[in-house]
Amino acid sequence: DGHFLIVSGLPPPQVKCYDLSQLSMKWSRHLDAEVVTFQALSEDYAKLAFICADRSIRFHAKFGNYYQTRTPKQGRDLVYSRNTGDLCVVGSSSEVWRLNLEQGRFLAPLESQCEEFNVCGISPTHGLFAAASADGELECFDLRQRKSCGLIQCTDADEGGLTSLRFDSNGMNVAVGSEGGIVRLYDLRSSRPVRVKDQMNGFPIIDLKYHNSVDGVRRLVSTDKKIVKIWDERTGDPYTSIEPGYEINDLCMWDNTGLMMLAMEHTEMSVFFTPTLGAAPKWCSFLENLTEEMEEQKNETIYDDYRFVTVEELDKLGLSHLIGTKMLRAYMHGYFMDNRLYGKAKAIAEPFSYDDFKKKKVKEKLDEERKSRITVKKKAPKVNALLAARLGTADAEGVVDDVDEDGDDVGTIAPGGSLLEDDRFAAMFKEKEFEIDEEDEQYKVLHPNAPKLHKDTRREILEDHFELVSDEDDVPVEEVTTTKKENIERTENVRREGRISRQRFQRRSRHQG
């Protein structure tokens, strides 16, 4: 009924039942032998049938162990027919054993053309029973007439036997999986497979399930011991895949939802939720909120300290041997690498680059010509003077780069002209509220590669573009500094004359005494 989850494992051999509505364990029972597989005979956990490794079939009720019987040979799989009340068991024998639960006794077994079976299944629509053999044959039986309806060879000679079997809900299709990791879909009206899908791992297919999603598409879920693959049964296109990291033993999936559980070679079961397949079940609706929070939390990776390089650039720098290491981070068609490493490698690989030398000489010549021009220096703004100087340099050269010195996008020149001449940005160079504090921690986080300019360097940049004045009386800074020097000299002269006068006075007083 979807309210309980039953799990078997070892060591020691035991069975646990979980109440999903309470998210807790309801009971735990220990057995004498390992559980091969089990089947729920009722809507809840009241009636259970277990095949154990000691050739026994154990029946459990709500209170615990109820009855135990044995099969002639070791059983491998069982299925319950609700139409006839027969519990059909297959194993290392050519016969299909039938245990009628209404009469409480074994019935005459079904005779088969195969030597032994691995798995079996029954259609939920019309009750057709099918068994898959270890030789790769699929044989179907009509339980009303108790005889074989047909047999087909599903696998190739070197592929091995069949390991999984599943009927769909409409009763017209059946899916089988082989030891070679190949899934085949059959229409019961044809002996040729409708679709063949390779799991691409070479491991036996453990489980097959048809899943109906909320978008109305029915998909097939194929599982081997390494991976779970979900794909479209009509086209064969893959939808998604899950690799839990441990060897998988079984899969439990809720129809019309995106929740699945994996029983593995581990002490804990793995739970996976795919929202695109469907909403979470009612008993774990909180998963919807978790997935929404994960979608809202976008982890943006910032590569301010890294430079993007292509494979060709790595070959030129001689760093292609670093591919696959932590020094390079793969991204799109290239890699991200540390700026410092890039600078060192470029200095070694290209110690004298002609292009860089040419650009440097052109820049020096332009600077010399610019110095010889008659320029009118304006008064430096009270706020963000260094930014204004940088913008003035860019306007003078006639080119504005798309990025600044630390790699941030600054755009191009505004359509109306320079920012210094635009009235919309006038407050940025007048009001203290818009002042850029380069010593602020937030500024350093946003601009980690911004150069740290010395006070003298800042002053030189400002002197090249503006006439530096003081804030008190708009007197040029040079005049202010000279006035200060004169005041200092006057003070020293007064002090010197005072010392001389005191010394003269002391000498006179001595002579008079």
Side-chain angles (χ1 to χ4, degrees):
D1 55 3
H3 297 299
F4 301 95
L5 179 70
I6 303 174
V7 186
S8 65
L10 77 162
Q14 57 181 322
V15 179
K16 293 183 178 182
C17 178
Y18 295 90
D19 189 349
L20 299 179
S21 62
Q22 302 296 326
L23 296 178
S24 61
M25 187 175 67
K26 193 171 186 63
W27 50 258
S28 175
R29 299 171 185 173
H30 290 259
L31 303 176
D32 297 335
E34 177 186 351
V35 176
V36 178
T37 185
F38 63 90
Q39 176 76 38
L41 306 179
S42 61
E43 294 295 332
D44 55 1
Y45 65 92
K47 299 177 182 179
L48 302 174
F50 299 90
I51 291 183
C52 296
D54 57 351
R55 291 195 298 114
S56 65
I57 300 178
R58 303 170 187 264
F59 295 91
H60 280 224
K62 280 189 175 182
F63 54 84
N65 189 17
Y66 176 74
Y67 182 74
Q68 176 179 343
T69 185
R70 293 173 66 88
T71 55
K73 293 184 178 180
Q74 177 60 48
R76 296 175 181 174
D77 197 9
L78 79 165
V79 66
Y80 177 59
S81 174
R82 300 185 182 276
N83 298 329
T84 60
D86 294 341
L87 184 66
C88 301
V89 183
V90 297
S92 57
S93 174
S94 60
E95 297 178 342
V96 178
W97 304 300
R98 295 187 301 151
L99 180 60
N100 190 275
L101 301 183
E102 182 179 2
Q103 302 178 18
R105 65 185 182 91
F106 279 100
L107 302 180
L110 302 177
E111 296 294 335
S112 172
Q113 304 177 26
C114 304
E115 295 182 359
E116 56 181 357
F117 294 103
N118 288 333
V119 291
C120 61
I122 191 168
S123 175
T125 305
H126 45 67
L128 182 67
F129 176 80
S133 71
D135 297 329
E137 298 173 337
L138 179 65
E139 189 170 4
C140 297
F141 297 87
D142 188 355
L143 297 180
R144 298 171 299 179
Q145 298 181 357
R146 298 183 298 278
K147 64 177 184 180
S148 176
C149 299
L151 184 143
I152 57 174
Q153 180 68 38
C154 297
T155 60
D156 299 331
D158 56 344
E159 192 177 339
L162 299 177
T163 55
S164 58
L165 167 68
R166 183 71 61 180
F167 282 94
D168 66 344
S169 57
N170 58 24
M172 299 302 297
N173 298 323
V174 62
V176 294
S178 65
E179 292 182 3
I182 298 178
V183 180
R184 291 176 173 86
L185 303 182
Y186 285 91
D187 191 318
L188 293 178
R189 296 164 292 185
S190 175
S191 60
R192 295 182 178 180
V194 178
R195 186 161 303 283
V196 179
K197 184 74 173 180
D198 192 351
Q199 197 84 346
M200 304 302 293
N201 286 328
F203 300 124
I205 302 298
I206 296 174
D207 185 70
L208 292 171
K209 280 184 173 59
Y210 285 93
H211 182 268
N212 297 315
S213 57
V214 292
D215 55 2
V217 180
R218 190 173 68 172
R219 298 179 175 87
L220 194 67
V221 184
S222 55
T223 308
D224 59 22
K225 68 177 184 179
K226 183 179 179 181
I227 191 173
V228 178
K229 289 189 176 182
I230 304 176
W231 45 281
D232 195 331
E233 64 166 349
R234 295 174 299 177
T235 61
D237 296 335
Y239 183 76
T240 186
S241 60
I242 298 174
E243 292 189 51
Y246 296 94
E247 186 175 335
I248 304 173
N249 292 328
D250 199 7
L251 168 70
C252 179
M253 195 168 187
W254 280 257
D255 205 15
N256 294 318
T257 68
L259 185 69
M260 68 173 67
M261 291 188 180
L262 296 177
M264 306 177 298
E265 294 291 336
H266 194 254
T267 56
E268 298 178 354
M269 293 182 295
S270 294
V271 183
F272 296 92
F273 178 56
T274 310
T276 55
L277 292 177
K282 186 178 180 180
W283 54 269
C284 61
S285 58
F286 56 87
L287 291 178
E288 297 287 346
N289 299 330
L290 294 178
T291 53
E292 290 179 0
E293 292 176 1
M294 293 174 63
E295 290 179 357
E296 294 175 359
Q297 295 175 357
K298 296 181 179 179
N299 297 325
E300 297 182 358
T301 305
I302 301 175
Y303 294 102
D304 285 339
D305 297 334
Y306 290 81
R307 179 183 292 270
F308 181 80
V309 292
T310 61
V311 180
E312 292 77 10
E313 293 177 352
L314 288 176
D315 294 336
K316 292 180 181 179
L317 297 175
L319 299 178
S320 56
H321 63 281
L322 296 179
I323 297 177
T325 63
K326 296 181 179 180
M327 306 298 292
L328 299 177
R329 300 185 181 183
Y331 182 76
M332 294 177 67
H333 62 284
Y335 301 89
F336 276 110
M337 66 182 301
D338 193 281
N339 270 331
R340 295 168 295 180
L341 177 61
Y342 177 82
K344 293 179 181 179
K346 189 175 181 180
I348 296 174
E350 301 178 3
F352 189 77
S353 178
Y354 177 74
D355 294 335
D356 296 340
F357 175 75
K358 186 177 179 180
K359 292 179 181 178
K360 185 178 180 181
K361 287 297 181 181
V362 170
K363 186 177 181 181
E364 291 178 356
K365 190 173 182 180
L366 291 175
D367 292 340
E368 291 178 359
E369 293 179 356
R370 193 177 295 113
K371 290 179 181 179
S372 62
R373 298 174 185 172
I374 300 175
T375 57
V376 179
K377 292 185 179 181
K378 300 180 180 180
K379 177 183 175 181
K382 297 181 180 181
V383 181
N384 296 330
L386 189 60
L387 176 61
R390 291 173 180 172
L391 294 174
T393 303
D395 293 343
E397 294 178 358
V399 177
V400 178
D401 296 335
D402 291 341
V403 294
D404 58 6
E405 66 277 353
D406 58 343
D408 291 336
D409 188 5
V410 296
T412 56
I413 299 178
S418 174
L419 293 178
L420 299 174
E421 300 175 358
D422 198 334
D423 296 336
R424 296 175 297 175
F425 303 97
M428 188 169 64
F429 303 100
K430 295 180 180 180
E431 299 180 6
K432 284 284 186 179
E433 298 176 355
F434 299 98
E435 185 176 5
I436 300 175
D437 186 8
E438 297 184 359
E439 299 298 328
D440 187 50
E441 293 296 331
Q442 187 176 4
Y443 179 85
K444 293 180 180 179
V445 171
L446 296 175
H447 305 81
N449 294 332
K452 296 182 179 180
L453 301 178
H454 193 264
K455 186 182 293 184
D456 297 337
T457 307
R458 291 173 180 268
R459 186 177 183 83
E460 291 178 359
I461 294 175
L462 295 177
E463 288 178 350
D464 292 340
H465 297 84
F466 305 108
E467 182 180 358
L468 302 182
V469 296
S470 62
D471 295 336
E472 298 177 356
D473 51 358
D474 291 346
V475 180
V477 177
E478 296 178 356
E479 296 182 7
V480 173
T481 53
T482 54
T483 303
K484 289 182 179 179
K485 291 180 180 178
E486 291 177 357
N487 293 334
I488 294 173
E489 291 178 357
R490 290 174 184 173
T491 304
E492 292 180 354
N493 292 333
V494 171
R495 290 178 180 175
R496 191 180 300 108
E497 291 177 359
R499 292 195 209 98
I500 294 173
S501 61
R502 283 197 298 272
Q503 291 176 359
R504 291 177 180 176
F505 177 75
Q506 291 176 0
R507 291 175 184 173
R508 289 176 184 175
S509 60
R510 290 176 184 173
H511 290 298
Q512 291 177 0

